[in-house]
Amino acid sequence: MPTSVTLRWLGPPTRCAPAAILDALTPLTERYRLHLDTRRARTRTYLDTADWRIRRNGLVLSHEVVTGPGSLVLHGGEEPVTARLSEPPSWPARAEQLAPGPVRDGIAGAISVRAVAPKLRCRTVTREIAVRKADGSTVLL
């Protein structure tokens, strides 16, 4: 069974360019073959009210997009609560403008009549790399 390992890139930004990744992993190529998967981009926008009511209530609300309109994700409980969106959101938005469900219910009391709006946006680009033996069996993923 292959082992999964997360490597963090500490070099200059590369946009997950294959040549830069393979160059950094050159020591592995003497013993293993590397197979790079396609790159995946994820945009995460953190949302809160103007007076940070969601954060002050120990919650974190984000809009996460890989493809399509994305999902609203609420952190603060034991497990994150996710609501898939059927259409792209429009900000700012009050609680009643969000899709009914556990995410809306989870923030409604905290934001009261206020609207949530973007506070921080980040973009992460990742690429899976399979490390294989000469016989083709996967060592790391």
Side-chain angles (χ1 to χ4, degrees):
M1 171 172 253
T3 303
S4 181
V5 175
T6 300
L7 301 173
R8 299 215 184 268
W9 183 264
L10 299 177
T14 66
R15 295 194 172 285
C16 280
I21 294 170
L22 291 173
D23 187 44
L25 297 174
T26 298
L28 287 175
T29 60
E30 294 174 10
R31 187 168 174 190
Y32 302 104
R33 293 190 331 241
L34 304 177
H35 296 275
L36 275 66
D37 197 359
T38 57
R39 69 187 202 124
R40 292 185 178 94
R42 171 184 300 253
T43 302
R44 183 176 288 144
T45 303
Y46 291 93
L47 308 160
D48 210 328
T49 61
D51 55 359
W52 296 93
R53 289 195 170 234
I54 294 174
R55 176 105 172 123
R56 288 193 337 222
N57 278 276
L59 304 171
V60 175
L61 178 65
S62 63
H63 174 228
E64 300 182 12
V65 179
V66 176
T67 60
S71 301
L72 286 178
V73 181
L74 181 62
H75 293 268
E78 290 180 21
E79 293 288 324
V81 179
T82 302
R84 295 205 185 282
L85 301 175
S86 58
E87 58 187 50
S90 177
W91 311 117
R94 293 189 319 269
E96 64 270 10
Q97 294 172 298
L98 301 175
V103 172
R104 179 168 119 176
D105 296 344
I107 64 164
I111 68 174
S112 183
V113 297
R114 289 163 179 78
V116 295
K119 293 293 187 178
L120 174 73
R121 180 172 287 128
C122 60
R123 185 170 186 260
T124 307
V125 180
T126 60
R127 185 184 295 267
E128 271 191 12
I129 303 168
V131 179
R132 296 192 175 139
K133 295 180 183 176
D135 66 3
S137 61
T138 302
V139 177
L140 288 172
L141 182 60

